[in-house]
Amino acid sequence: MTLSAEQARQEGAFTHGAPGGPLWHFLRGFLKHPVMVGSVIPSSKILIEKMLDPVDWANTRLFVEYGPGVGTFTQHILDRLSPDATLLTLDTNPDFTAYLNGKFTDSRLEAVTGSAASVRKVMADRGFEHADYVLSGLPFSTLPPGVGPKIAEETAEALRPGGAFLVYQFSPKVRDYISPHFDRIDKGFEWINIPPATLFWAWKD
């Protein structure tokens, strides 16, 4: 996940060190929970657009985002989401959840503190049976033992037929976690990101 210096300045992240700015929150979250944050720098706009390009927004009613951090993807998702759709974000770090709830006033956003490994329960508690798309930048290779496979399994069960698990990673090993649950996986790569990222679109046929 990457944010250029100019983008960060525009968002106020570098203003006098900007305590309370998005980059400050992101770095603090990384220091508090390093194994749960994929990078110390949020994602580039080019990566975001490529990752979200295959989404059928007109037929999306529930979009789920794992590990939203300071909302680098979140705003782009909301910009594309239908007026009657919902974006459900899941983060184990309550600081990020609080930041999102303070940053966004969009009623379509439900920012929740919780684990992606429990996504179906979180969805059910809010009246959703299936998600159309799930996005994740969680660092699967550094998650505690057993968590990565559980997230992949839960996500596959949570998605509707025709939906997809969108994953951006800095290690291609994530495919080992998702391939047992998805027969069709498209792969891409984005150099314009720090660090460069491997992209996966795993489809539930």
Side-chain angles (χ1 to χ4, degrees), residues 5-23:
E6 181 57 31
Q7 289 172 320
R9 279 192 292 268
Q10 290 173 358
E11 292 194 21
F14 292 155
T15 304
H16 303 297
L23 188 58

Side-chain angles (χ1 to χ4, degrees), residues 79-203:
D79 288 344
R80 294 162 170 78
L81 208 59
S82 298
D84 59 344
T86 298
L87 169 57
L88 174 65
T89 65
L90 272 172
D91 206 305
T92 57
N93 186 341
D95 293 340
F96 284 149
T97 302
Y99 179 82
L100 290 186
N101 281 322
K103 178 178 179 180
F104 297 100
T105 58
D106 196 314
S107 62
R108 296 171 299 169
L109 173 64
E110 292 194 31
V112 177
T113 300
S115 171
S118 302
V119 62
R120 285 193 292 166
K121 182 180 186 306
V122 175
M123 287 167 47
D125 288 346
R126 286 154 182 80
F128 295 106
E129 184 175 357
H130 292 107
D132 298 287
Y133 296 92
V134 177
L135 170 72
S136 175
L138 297 176
F140 275 74
S141 61
T142 64
L143 294 175
V147 175
K150 179 63 173 176
I151 290 174
E153 179 183 2
E154 279 283 308
T155 302
E157 292 295 327
L159 284 166
R160 64 163 172 80
F165 188 22
L166 317 179
V167 184
Y168 57 104
Q169 295 281 287
F170 310 118
S171 168
K173 290 183 65 176
V174 67
R175 189 176 189 126
D176 296 340
Y177 294 94
I178 62 179
S179 60
H181 307 286
F182 297 91
D183 293 327
R184 180 163 61 102
I185 302 176
D186 298 328
K187 181 181 177 182
F189 196 82
E190 183 50 59
W191 286 101
I192 306 176
N193 199 71
I194 301 176
T198 303
L199 317 180
F200 295 96
W201 298 266
W203 299 92

